[in-house]
Amino acid sequence: MLRWLIGGGREPQGLAEKSPLQTIGEEQTQNPYTELLVLKAHHDIVRFLVQLDDYRFASAGDDGIVVVWNAQTGEKLLELNGHTQKITAIITFPSLESCEEKNQLILTASADRTVIVWDGDTTRQVQRISCFQSTVKCLTVLQRLDVWLSGGNDLCVWNRKLDLLCKTSHLSDTAPTEGSLEWDILEVKRLLDHQDNILSLINVNDLSFVTGSHVGELIIWDALDWTMQAYERNFWDPSPQLDTQQEIKLCQKSNDISIHHFTCDEENVFAAVGRGLYVYSLQMKRVIACQKTAHDSNVLHVARLPNRQLISCSEDGSVRIWELREKQQLAAEPVPTGFFNMWGFGRVSKQASQPVKKQQENATSCSLELIGDLIGHSSSVEMFLYFEDHGLVTCSADHLIILWKNGERESGLRSLRLFQKLEENGDLYLAV
């Protein structure tokens, strides 16, 4: 199987004792990604990947350039130059199905306090927006409203024609901008239930969303009335004599409890927490599977694949593939709550927790089994993209992008192309 192709082996970072990290042998029979292509174009950390269509993706990072690639061949298609400092966010803005023009826009934000809008088809620069007073750190699209938002010290709402519809300062309300009487940003409700910074947020569906904090709190919210549907707290046990700030300070060691990233499906929320992975059941309102030490360092990105599989990448330079497997829990065996404690703030009374415990004992638990370990990067893997037909794309602090290919599929495609070539040259005669 693949071992360090670039820059030596991987060492656990900051682990004095033997790591409980789950390992897999050289023969990774369930891992389809046995071939790779190393793509070189950047000369600094590559932090972002975004899918443009079924066969193209773009990469961006600290060198300030955007590179467009062919996901099938790994060919570099275009290089977009316009920013003078590192890129802080990139997103695509697809056109509405009702629109006659089907052009897709690419939006990039940079530490140079600009946002550049590119045409997704021709990749020409449509417009450069330079009215920001600070760095734009995030971009998002509200597809149903056909608008996009830029966030930094200010929150701005823009339409597809790049008109500024409204703007508000950080945590304050302002009057609508001139010429934008129909648009305004109003604070509906401020949710103050987290004890520390919120690091991750994801929509589960139109009715609920999930947030995760620096101190390991996971909260599921009702998106209609802003009430809390469920609350999970990490394993650390607050002592009565400590105030909140002291508790948080004690628990920040190595970011072992921070929720860095979420992904979800209709049944579960998959959370990257410190060095671990946790599967939270939306129906049962509890953690049903976990790998407390999925990687040697913090997990930065996680995504769900078909066939109950999960991919995670980490600061330790690894990319790992997991499979969620069901296992029937014995009635006499206590079900661990994993990383989180159940239900509500503080401690739950013994009496109140009895029905929950009985429900857990009768429930079906799951496990996360390691089925693949992709070792090719020599530094932190920042994120990845999954293409159903073209494989997996990873980007890293080592300035490289790796396109991981399904070896069996690629072998079949090469054989097919060979037969087609022989047939074109008249060297292949088919028996009737």
Side-chain angles (χ1 to χ4, degrees):
M1 197 44 205
L2 301 168
R3 287 295 153 206
W4 275 122
L5 303 179
I6 307 160
R10 187 181 76 209
E11 294 292 338
Q13 299 179 5
L15 296 179
E17 69 279 357
K18 185 177 179 181
S19 170
L21 187 72
Q22 188 177 145
T23 58
I24 189 170
E26 296 289 330
E27 296 297 325
Q28 302 182 27
T29 57
Q30 293 179 277
N31 178 12
Y33 302 112
T34 55
E35 296 184 13
L36 60 80
L37 294 171
V38 179
L39 314 182
K40 298 180 180 180
H42 292 277
H43 51 270
D44 209 332
I45 299 174
V46 188
R47 298 189 186 274
F48 305 105
L49 298 170
V50 63
Q51 184 173 344
L52 303 182
D53 49 40
D54 291 339
Y55 71 94
R56 291 184 309 156
F57 69 93
S59 59
D62 287 6
D63 56 10
I65 65 173
V66 179
V67 181
V68 180
W69 305 88
N70 184 310
Q72 182 177 12
T73 64
E75 177 189 2
K76 177 182 172 181
L77 302 176
L78 289 164
E79 184 174 307
L80 311 181
N81 291 279
H83 290 294
T84 59
Q85 296 185 41
K86 69 179 182 179
I87 291 175
T88 53
I90 180 172
I91 198 169
T92 59
F93 189 6
S95 59
L96 292 175
E97 294 182 1
S98 58
C99 294
E100 295 182 3
E101 296 183 6
K102 296 298 179 183
N103 65 317
Q104 174 179 248
L105 300 177
I106 303 172
L107 310 173
T108 57
S110 169
D112 61 15
R113 299 187 180 184
T114 66
V115 169
I116 296 181
V117 183
W118 313 83
D119 188 296
D121 297 323
T122 64
T123 60
R124 66 179 179 83
Q125 188 175 136
V126 177
Q127 188 168 332
R128 180 187 185 95
I129 305 172
S130 306
C131 60
F132 303 100
Q133 301 301 313
S134 64
T135 299
V136 173
K137 297 180 180 178
C138 60
L139 297 168
T140 191
V141 169
L142 302 181
Q143 192 66 38
R144 284 182 293 185
L145 298 177
D146 201 31
V147 299
W148 59 278
L149 281 66
S150 60
N153 285 352
D154 298 325
L155 177 64
C156 302
V157 181
W158 311 79
N159 64 14
R160 184 174 295 275
K161 296 179 180 179
L162 309 182
D163 300 320
L164 177 60
L165 301 178
C166 55
K167 173 181 177 181
T168 183
S169 299
H170 184 55
L171 295 181
S172 66
D173 301 328
T174 59
T177 307
E178 184 179 353
S180 58
L181 299 178
E182 297 180 4
W183 288 84
D184 196 7
I185 299 174
L186 298 176
E187 181 177 312
V188 179
K189 186 170 182 179
R190 191 171 299 191
L191 308 178
L192 301 173
D193 298 280
H194 279 292
Q195 295 186 31
D196 203 1
N197 293 338
I198 296 173
L199 301 184
S200 46
L201 183 151
I202 189 172
N203 283 329
V204 176
N205 48 47
D206 290 340
L207 301 177
S208 59
F209 63 96
V210 184
T211 54
S213 77
H214 181 68
V215 292
E217 304 160 300
L218 178 149
I219 300 180
I220 300 179
W221 303 92
D222 188 300
L224 299 180
D225 60 12
W226 311 103
T227 57
M228 191 185 302
Q229 294 181 343
Y231 177 94
E232 291 280 342
R233 194 171 185 171
N234 56 51
F235 58 79
W236 60 281
D237 188 11
S239 302
Q241 66 270 22
L242 297 177
D243 62 27
T244 301
Q245 292 304 317
Q246 287 176 310
E247 293 167 12
I248 293 173
K249 187 175 180 180
L250 289 173
C251 298
Q252 286 178 336
K253 183 180 179 182
S254 302
N255 289 328
D256 281 342
I257 59 176
S258 296
I259 301 179
H260 298 292
H261 191 243
F262 281 138
T263 189
C264 68
D265 56 20
E266 295 178 354
E267 300 176 358
N268 303 306
V269 174
F270 305 91
V273 186
R275 295 178 294 164
L277 293 173
Y278 294 80
V279 183
Y280 178 88
S281 170
L282 293 168
Q283 182 179 6
M284 291 186 279
K285 302 264 191 314
R286 70 177 185 88
V287 174
I288 60 171
C290 71
Q291 277 289 339
K292 292 185 179 179
T293 311
H295 291 264
D296 281 328
S297 297
N298 287 332
V299 182
L300 300 181
H301 197 76
V302 62
R304 186 185 65 86
L305 299 187
N307 304 319
R308 295 176 68 83
Q309 291 183 355
L310 197 68
I311 293 186
S312 58
C313 67
S314 167
E315 290 176 347
D316 65 12
S318 68
V319 181
R320 313 193 98 191
I321 307 173
W322 309 84
E323 185 174 81
L324 184 63
R325 298 174 182 170
E326 293 186 359
K327 60 178 182 181
Q328 189 64 40
Q329 197 80 324
L330 297 176
E333 181 183 353
V335 179
T337 57
F339 184 79
F340 304 103
N341 292 328
M342 285 291 301
W343 304 102
F345 304 91
R347 305 184 185 186
V348 183
S349 68
K350 245 183 192 180
Q351 196 171 17
S353 66
Q354 289 303 317
V356 175
K357 189 174 181 182
K358 181 177 281 189
Q359 179 187 358
Q360 289 180 349
E361 289 175 351
N362 297 328
T364 299
S365 187
C366 299
S367 64
L368 281 173
E369 300 298 328
L370 181 65
I371 63 172
D373 195 0
L374 308 182
I375 302 176
H377 288 290
S378 61
S379 191
S380 172
V381 180
E382 300 295 312
M383 69 172 295
F384 53 82
L385 282 180
Y386 170 72
F387 284 85
E388 185 175 357
D389 296 326
H390 306 307
L392 187 71
V393 186
T394 57
C395 66
S396 170
D398 61 13
H399 309 179
L400 299 177
I401 296 165
I402 295 182
L403 182 54
W404 306 85
K405 291 287 189 177
N406 184 319
E408 185 177 343
R409 177 187 174 92
E410 293 301 306
S411 178
L413 290 174
R414 283 192 293 269
S415 298
L416 180 61
R417 287 193 292 267
L418 176 61
F419 277 102
Q420 289 173 341
K421 190 69 175 177
L422 291 173
E423 186 176 13
E424 290 172 5
N425 296 338
D427 297 328
L428 181 66
Y429 299 97
L430 301 177
V432 178

